Amino acid sequence: MTRTMTAKAPVLEIPDPKTLAHEVLSALKYRVGKGTNVATQYDWLTASIKVVRDRIVDHWMQATQEAYAQQEKRVYYLSLEFLIGRLMRDAFSNLGLMDNMREALKSLGVDLDLIAGLEPDAALGNGGLGRLAACFMESMATVDIPAHGYGIRYANGMFRQEIHDGWQVELPETWLDHGNPWEFERRERAFEVGFGGSVESITSKDGRLERHVWKPTEHVQAVAYDTPVVGWRANRVNTLRLWSGMPIDPILLDKFNAGDHIGALAESNKADALSRVLYPADSHKAGQELRLRQEYFFSTASLQDILQRHLSQYGDLVSLPDKAAIHLNDTHPAIAVPELLRLLMDIHGMDFDQAWDITKRTFGYTNHTLLPEALESWPVPLFERLLPRHMQIVYAINAQVLLEARATNQFSGEQISRISLIQEAGDRRVRMGNLAFVGSHSINGVSALHTELMKETVFADLHKLYPDRINNKTNGITPRRWLIQCNPGLTALTREAIGDRFLDDIDAIKGLEAFAGDAAFRDKFAAVKRSNKVKLANLVADRLGIRVDPSALFDIQVKRIHEYKRQLLNILEAIALYDQIRSHPELDWMPRVKFFGGKAAPSYHNAKLIIKLANDVAKVINSDPSVRGLLKVVFVPNYNVSLAEVLMPAADLSEQISTAGMEASGTGNMKFALNGALTIGTLDGANVEIKECVGDDNIFIFGLTTAEVAERRSNGYNPRAVIEGSPELAQAVAAVSSGVFSPDQPDRYRELIDGLYNTDWFMVAADFDAYAAAQRDVDAVWRNSPDWYARAIRNVARVGWFSSDRTIRQYAKEIWNVPA
Ligand code: 26V
């Protein structure tokens, strides 16, 4: 049956403020158990969420029943990270309740913005990969795809960052302290998860091998917690199902009774550890056993759930690929490939060939990084000890793949060894990227450039063997959170100019283009930008005591701190500019504030040093009277989704300056542009496509291309000579190395400086002059304010294509084979 014939979700009915106020009061009384006289702000928050959640539930059940009745194919998105942030505004806005709810709360003496600010940020992700999963969940609901997200309900998400004396300090994040009013605990939806043990082979009477039985020695259970995900105008409500680890026997009574009180709790602690904490390093493979346990824990629970749902509806598993598309968000759930084979063969009695065919037709896999240090692989001995049956299955898959490779007669021995799922050089390891690749019918990159590089580098040999599997799906962002909600001023102005169609179809934002030449509109646009900058300036004044001028150019680089993202290049340019301002006070400098924000992996030494440098440089520049306020540097602590919602609308300039070839896509670049910032960036990741959309005149591109980076690296790049040949850079580097910014410890940055002089793998020196020149071009355009805003408006008008609705429709059509 086609979708057009299905009954639609209930018509979106918008209750008046009086009704809502009544519902909030009732929720406060009956759900929170408080009266208005004793209610805390948190209680009001909980009551408000309960009211909106109740409304969501009607749409949710309808969508679920509809998917069942229509036998629709479902999408299952497996991801170890969902960086969803706060949900209340999202829900109010998507249900069209924002204005009436604000008024309802006001009538009760409650400030919506105040309680919204108390909602904890669900920080169940590191950065780009996790936030993409959150945007995808919202877009799948919006474009009406029946989908479930599967992940882990970490008790402690991404750590909270504080800056003490310029250094990053990590504190535990405890988002569940006040409970989680959004979720539904499903104790009955629990699956057993085993680890360790051995494999028994069952043979028939005539000696034929019949099946394998895995006998794990450890058992825990995964319990489901469901959070509804509301699409725009509540088109559809989908489910984010997060697993929590629980012991099967909370207390081992025999041990307890024997007096071993600690031993009695051992199982409970082990189960608890599985969903305790999110690994905070997104640039280095974790290597710890607990991480592999987490990966298996959530993969098997999700697959058991999917198979159970499918079996109860269709009665067999042969039809699985027709009714379920399971997507692997990076290799973190790649263990699901041998796990599905195990379930199909060992539990449901299929033979390898049939199970392998079903597996490949069911899975799709997205690669999010080419950095060799981030590609997952697990030591064979660890894999074998924890998952002995999966090890056997990996060998069986490998035998099959290598047979296919050899049969083509196209591969040398070296190529065959690169195709193998087992890395033999050094210690033997299971390559999770290769496993995800061979077990999927589609492997996609996240920008055009990244996808081409995948074909040429990590997956070159597998691409030759299976040439029709790699495809591109350029990332996107949800315009609901990243425009409509976070930038109400620009949304209102856009509605006034071009009407409401862009709210439902972001392509219609193209209509703004016509206003780039309209002086009155440009003034209004500038006024919106200014008020967003005032909001950021106030936040910085409140939290850091730093005063910044909202009429200065707001230049922002916010993202994880990593050498390849080159925050160091930006800091060195700030130092060079500082030097210029002091040595040429007679010149007419354009006032600028450089904002930095981002977390460093706790074990990433150089990244932490870069944070300290940014703070040291800020301290010196901000307190030097000879700068006359023309340059300020601000490091905003604890960058997260909620802060991004303040930063993106306030930016004039978006810094996207990674070494070409190293940033898979970037999504912050898209958020900034949609909010009217101009980009200064390299030809890396999705910047390439942003440039194509906005046009060369509306973006500042500089620096080496991917091919030039490779060429410089292979032709004996000499950073020392480059530094010595650039007076500005040499001066900036000398200032850092002589302790200008660290008088208390002049050699603090020696490692960073030595790295620059001796290796400079990330080509900071090679790109410095081009970057500094591009920054002076920025100043020149900024000086001519009408021209600047015309370009900013063109950015907004031309980046509708980077909506995650577009991305999701492409996945639906080209990978999942579901209507959208
Ligand atoms: C790796 C690991 C290794 C083990 C510890 C935990 C952990 C967590 C994440 C990762 C992989 C991170 C890859 C990643 O975040 N890639 C980013 O994906 C974005 C969405 O596609 C993309 O925009 C960014 O350019 C890319 O860096």
Side-chain angles (χ1 to χ4, degrees), residues 81 128-129 281-282 284 286 291 332 368 446 475 564 663-666:
E81 307 192 9
L129 167 145
D282 65 347
H284 273 270
R291 169 79 178 184
H332 313 157
H368 293 270
V446 291
N475 281 167
Y564 85 79
E663 187 70 271
S665 162

Side-chain angles (χ1 to χ4, degrees), residues 584-641:
H584 296 287
E586 75 287 358
L587 295 181
D588 182 18
W589 297 101
M590 297 307 290
R592 192 188 275 241
V593 186
K594 273 185 184 270
F595 293 88
F596 293 88
K599 294 174 185 176
S603 59
Y604 191 167
H605 181 73
N606 278 357
K608 290 177 122 174
L609 215 46
I610 289 169
I611 292 179
K612 174 64 172 162
L613 179 61
N615 282 292
D616 276 351
V617 168
K619 199 157 92 186
V620 170
I621 294 181
N622 297 350
S623 60
D624 185 338
S626 64
V627 177
R628 294 165 292 140
L630 292 170
L631 177 63
K632 288 244 160 108
V633 176
V634 179
F635 188 94
V636 191
N638 201 36
Y639 177 59
N640 60 8
V641 174

Side-chain angles (χ1 to χ4, degrees), residues 615-692:
N615 282 292
D616 276 351
V617 168
K619 199 157 92 186
V620 170
I621 294 181
N622 297 350
S623 60
D624 185 338
S626 64
V627 177
R628 294 165 292 140
L630 292 170
L631 177 63
K632 288 244 160 108
V633 176
V634 179
F635 188 94
V636 191
N638 201 36
Y639 177 59
N640 60 8
V641 174
S642 299
L643 259 178
E645 290 168 12
V646 180
L647 286 155
M648 302 295 168
D652 295 306
L653 188 67
S654 153
E655 297 269 355
Q656 307 301 335
I657 59 177
S658 50
T659 314
M662 304 196 80
E663 187 70 271
S665 162
T667 45
N669 46 4
M670 303 166 188
K671 296 166 197 165
F672 279 114
L674 186 60
N675 283 279
L678 273 59
T679 302
I680 182 166
T682 47
L683 285 176
D684 199 14
N687 296 352
V688 177
E689 289 151 271
I690 292 178
K691 167 180 170 284
E692 277 158 20

